[in-house]
Amino acid sequence: MEIDALAFEHAPVGLTLLENRIIRRCNLQFAATFGGETADFIDVPLARYYPSIEDYSRIGERALAIMRDTGRYSDERVMKRRDGTLFWCRARGQSVTPEDPFRRGVWSFTDLSDERPVVELTRREREVAILTCRGMTSKEIGLELGLSYRTIEVYRARLLDKFQARKLAELVAKLSGMPL
C-alpha cells in the first residue's frame, strides 16, 4: 500500500472524501465512528448521518457561506450513526474546488462522545444552545431566531435543567465539553 493511502486509511480521525456531500471514500476510523465497514458508506449521501434533514440543510447553508470565503469549515454538532444513535461530533472540511466548495472536499469527523454525552434536545433547544455558546445574549438570540428574549430565557431554563447546570457559565462549559 502506498504511504499516502496508508496514512489515509489509518488516520486517527475519521476521514472522508465528499463530492456534492456524497461520500466517495472513507477511512477505517470514519467507518468505526459511524458504525460499519468502509464499503457501507461508499456513494451514500452524508445527509443520512444527520439527526434530521433540517439539520443537514441548515448546517449545509452555513458551511457553504463560510466555505465560499475561506474554503474551510468546522463546527461541533450532533450526528447520527448507522444504527440511529446520536453522538457529538467535531467536523472539519477543506474544499479542493474553491469555486464550488461542495463539489469536492476532504472532511474529518471526530467522535466527542467521551467528552460530551448527547442530551435529547429539540431543534430549537439546539439552536439556542449553539448561539449561547457563541456568547450571544438572550436578546441577540431572540433577534437571530425571530423570538422574544423571554422565550429564549425559557429555552435556556430548559437547557439548564436538562444539563443539570446551576448557572449559564456552567451550562456553556457543559455544552462545550470543557472540564468543570
Side-chain angles (χ1 to χ4, degrees):
M1 183 179 283
E2 292 288 324
I3 196 158
D4 298 3
L6 188 66
F8 179 85
E9 283 301 317
H10 296 281
V13 297
L15 295 176
T16 184
L17 303 175
L18 297 178
E19 289 182 338
N20 298 311
R21 301 179 84 190
I22 295 175
I23 301 166
R24 296 300 184 203
R25 184 171 173 206
C26 68
N27 71 353
L28 296 168
Q29 186 59 52
F30 180 92
T33 296
F34 285 88
E37 304 294 324
T38 55
D40 298 329
F41 299 95
I42 306 307
D43 297 330
V44 175
L46 193 62
R48 189 173 292 173
Y49 304 106
Y50 282 76
S52 68
I53 198 66
E54 293 82 18
D55 285 341
Y56 173 78
S57 297
R58 181 178 39 80
I59 292 170
E61 288 171 14
R62 184 173 58 234
L64 185 58
I66 292 170
M67 291 180 84
R68 282 188 174 131
D69 290 337
T70 67
R72 296 175 182 228
Y73 180 76
S74 68
D75 69 13
E76 292 181 4
R77 63 177 87 140
V78 174
M79 298 219 43
K80 184 172 62 174
R81 299 186 204 284
R82 286 182 68 228
D83 67 5
T85 59
L86 301 177
F87 70 103
W88 274 99
C89 184
R90 178 178 301 117
R92 293 183 174 140
Q94 169 72 53
S95 177
V96 294
T97 54
E99 68 284 356
D100 184 2
F102 281 162
R103 189 170 69 208
R104 182 172 286 154
V106 179
W107 287 78
S108 70
F109 295 88
T110 305
D111 186 348
L112 301 176
S113 297
D114 291 339
E115 301 143 41
R116 193 176 316 160
V118 171
V119 174
E120 284 294 322
L121 299 177
T122 66
R123 179 182 59 82
R124 187 65 83 189
E125 287 169 339
R126 274 197 308 276
E127 290 171 339
V128 170
I130 289 166
L131 297 174
T132 296
C133 286
R134 290 186 186 157
M136 294 175 76
T137 67
S138 292
K139 288 182 181 180
E140 291 169 333
I141 294 171
L143 286 171
E144 173 98 3
L145 300 178
L147 301 170
S148 77
Y149 79 93
R150 290 184 186 267
T151 301
I152 300 305
E153 290 296 327
V154 169
Y155 281 112
R156 280 186 168 175
R158 287 184 195 161
L159 291 168
L160 287 166
D161 184 52
K162 285 185 174 187
F163 285 91
Q164 299 178 345
R166 294 167 298 185
K167 52 191 170 189
L168 194 59
E170 185 179 359
L171 174 64
V172 170
K174 287 184 176 200
L175 288 168
S176 65
M178 298 296 293
L180 297 176

